[in-house]
Amino acid sequence: MTVRRQIETVRSLLAAGHLKARAAAVRDSRALVRVLFLASGVESGLLALLRQPRTIGDLAERLRVGRADRLEAWLQVGVELGELKERKGHYQVTGTRAGALAAEDPVLVSHYRSVVEYQAPAYGSLLELIAGTKDRDDLQVYAQTIAEVSLAAAPFIEPIVSSVAAQHNTGCILDAGCGTARYL
């Protein structure tokens, strides 16, 4: 892109309005792509494989991938995000989050799995869900992941629940539909 074209692009962006909101949207998109990249790396098993340097050919063979070009595109997203590094045709985990996921940190694995499995689809189906034209069976389908996320969050939630329960000084507490009831 020529300098003149870059200047024209900047001018058109400035003239279009909502520049701060657009800049924020770009940052949001990058964060979302990182979350989706990491979640897909957990679900596919790619991050665990990338604890060791691997070529696209090796990864494609191990995963029985039919489209190595798509695998390469995914790997390049990881490099751009700083979660992977590429050296002489070999890819490897380098980012803090990707490294923890590759090492199968149970809290992070559960978190990123939940994003792909049931959090994102709920937002994508919001109008159907609130209109009542669509229902979800998350508990039946994703019970294991929900339980893992719940247990992983326990150290953060238990002190809050304990504090609130102590303030209300009640003899009875109903914990309906809350999984293992571990928090109470």
Side-chain angles (χ1 to χ4, degrees):
M1 182 182 284
T2 67
V3 172
R4 181 181 174 140
R5 181 70 182 132
Q6 288 175 339
I7 291 170
E8 289 173 10
T9 301
V10 170
R11 279 187 186 149
S12 69
L13 285 172
L14 291 172
H18 302 287
L19 188 59
K20 285 184 180 179
R22 289 179 181 192
V26 169
R27 286 190 307 273
D28 291 346
S29 294
R30 186 170 175 87
L32 177 60
V33 168
R34 180 182 305 278
V35 168
L36 294 172
F37 171 83
L38 292 168
S40 66
V42 167
E43 283 297 302
S44 65
L46 276 163
L47 290 177
L49 287 172
L50 290 167
R51 284 182 286 194
Q52 305 295 324
R54 305 220 186 253
T55 65
I56 292 170
D58 180 39
L59 290 168
E61 184 179 317
R62 286 174 181 269
L63 296 172
R64 296 187 175 117
V65 170
R67 296 287 308 263
D69 58 326
R70 293 179 180 173
L71 172 59
E72 183 177 13
W74 183 87
L75 293 165
Q76 288 302 316
V77 168
V79 170
E80 174 62 29
L81 292 169
E83 296 295 342
L84 303 179
K85 68 179 177 182
E86 185 271 331
R87 188 173 303 155
K88 297 181 180 179
H90 289 77
Y91 292 85
Q92 186 173 9
V93 166
T94 190
T96 303
R97 286 167 280 214
L101 290 166
E104 300 179 356
D105 176 287
V107 172
L108 291 176
V109 167
S110 297
H111 167 71
Y112 284 101
R113 222 179 239 140
S114 75
V115 168
V116 169
E117 289 180 358
Y118 65 89
Q119 290 181 36
Y123 287 97
S125 305
L126 180 64
L127 289 178
E128 296 166 305
L129 291 169
I130 61 178
T133 58
K134 183 176 184 177
D135 288 322
R136 293 187 55 175
D137 56 356
D138 290 351
L139 194 54
Q140 290 80 19
V141 177
Y142 306 116
Q144 183 64 37
T145 300
I146 291 169
E148 289 169 2
V149 170
S150 179
L151 291 173
F156 305 102
I157 295 173
E158 286 174 346
I160 296 167
V161 172
S162 296
S163 173
V164 169
Q167 291 172 7
H168 288 82
N169 196 19
T170 180
C172 296
I173 296 174
L174 176 62
D175 187 6
C178 297
T180 63
R182 175 185 171 127
Y183 302 141
L184 293 176

